Amino acid sequence: MFKGSITALITPFRNGSVDEKAFQDLAAWQIAEGTHALVPCGTTGESPTLSHDEHHRVVELCIEVARGKVPVIAGTGSNSTDEAVALTRHAKKAGADAALVVAPYYNKPSQEGLFRHFEAIATSVDIPIIVYNIPGRSVIDISVETFVRLSALPNIAGIKDATADLARPLRIRAALGERLCQLSGEDATAIAFNAQGGVGCISVTSNIAPKLCSQMQNAWAARDFATCDALNKKLMPLHDALFCETSPAPVKYAASLLGKSTPDVRLPLVPASENARHRVEAAMKAAGLI
């Protein structure tokens, strides 16, 4: 079971290339600050613009740092089923603990197509799979009924839900009980998601505030609701700032203020605007991060 504060890692760039040292330093810092698991090569890691060689290398770099300390859930999704299978096979071979597989974007498959996509990956690679539902980026929404069908596959282990629909985790729990671990993909509603049946969050904000995010999830798990509520309120302005423009541009700027990365992103994304930078700086100061 994957749970707690799980960081969707940025991929630091320098002079157009992956900054391997910065990436591994970031992963090590995350572990030291209490992060419960790491996700390399997700959306926050700009996986759509990584070459296959870069993708493989970033997963391997993360595993080198995290092995034996925290789980690594490698992003292996694609809108090509064959490509997703290949990326997932590499993650398994490299030693990842699980794979995070996003719903196929752009293609707009039917619910049957979605089922068969995840079925093909799950039956091709023996590794736990977290199914990532994010209609805002992939256009299509994986229905509760499709999750019920997918749950019959033994290595479908969980869900990352970025729908912002707080009724969804309760509906899935009503249909499946505790069969799948449910992880939020929305920082701002992570605790509300837990209240409806979630067990943690795959977080963008934890790139910048790993200790605060892990403490909040730990407080929730311990039923220390006063501490959890105080941390949730403290983090809210930071969540807003880090999503004031398309992620991960704001969070990479925030990481640059901590000396963890350059603010560079790859086209078609562009660096955070001046207004976004001011918002990020203000939120980080309010949270005591700078």
Side-chain angles (χ1 to χ4, degrees), residues 101 103-104 111-123 129-133 142-159 176 179-180:
V101 182
Q111 293 298 311
E112 181 64 24
L114 286 168
F115 173 79
R116 293 192 186 188
H117 173 79
F118 288 107
E119 179 188 43
I121 300 164
T123 56
I129 291 172
I130 308 295
V131 176
Y132 183 11
N133 192 26
I142 306 171
S143 70
V144 173
E145 293 73 20
T146 298
F147 276 118
V148 170
R149 291 181 69 193
L150 288 171
S151 72
L153 301 171
N155 55 331
I156 299 293
I159 300 164
L176 295 173
R179 163 70 184 88
L180 301 179

Side-chain angles (χ1 to χ4, degrees), residues 8-13 17-24 26-27 38-42 44-47 49-66 72-75 87 90-91 94 96 252 266:
L9 293 165
I10 61 170
T11 302
F13 298 132
S17 299
V18 174
D19 187 337
E20 296 189 359
K21 183 180 186 305
F23 178 80
Q24 289 200 310
L26 175 66
L38 298 174
V39 177
C41 297
T44 311
E46 297 177 77
S47 58
T49 62
L50 298 179
S51 70
H52 285 178
D53 287 344
E54 288 174 328
H55 191 122
H56 293 167
R57 182 61 177 153
V58 169
V59 170
E60 291 161 3
L61 289 167
C62 190
I63 291 167
E64 284 178 13
V65 173
V72 172
I73 306 169
L87 291 171
H90 171 265
K252 292 191 93 169
R266 284 183 174 170

Side-chain angles (χ1 to χ4, degrees), residues 107 126 130 140 193 206 222 269 281:
N107 301 15
D126 183 18
I130 308 295
I140 43 87
F193 188 91
S206 58
L269 298 182
E281 289 168 18

Side-chain angles (χ1 to χ4, degrees), residues 212 234-235 237-238 279-290:
L212 293 176
K234 184 175 185 177
L235 284 165
L238 190 58
R279 289 190 62 178
V280 167
E281 289 168 18
M284 292 178 72
K285 288 176 181 175
L289 300 177
I290 56 174

Side-chain angles (χ1 to χ4, degrees), residues 4-10 26 29-30 33 35-38 187 201-214 235 238-239 242-243 251 258:
S5 180
I6 301 170
T7 303
L9 293 165
I10 61 170
L26 175 66
W29 178 61
Q30 290 286 321
E33 292 287 284
T35 294
H36 300 106
L38 298 174
D187 276 293
C201 180
I202 297 180
S203 169
V204 172
T205 301
S206 58
N207 277 281
I208 306 307
K211 183 172 288 186
L212 293 176
C213 290
S214 63
L235 284 165
L238 190 58
H239 300 328
L242 295 180
F243 286 94
V251 73
L258 298 177

Side-chain angles (χ1 to χ4, degrees), residues 89-114:
R89 282 177 173 155
H90 171 265
K92 166 74 173 180
K93 183 178 179 181
D97 299 280
L100 177 67
V101 182
V102 70
Y105 40 87
Y106 188 75
N107 301 15
K108 295 183 70 174
S110 65
Q111 293 298 311
E112 181 64 24
L114 286 168

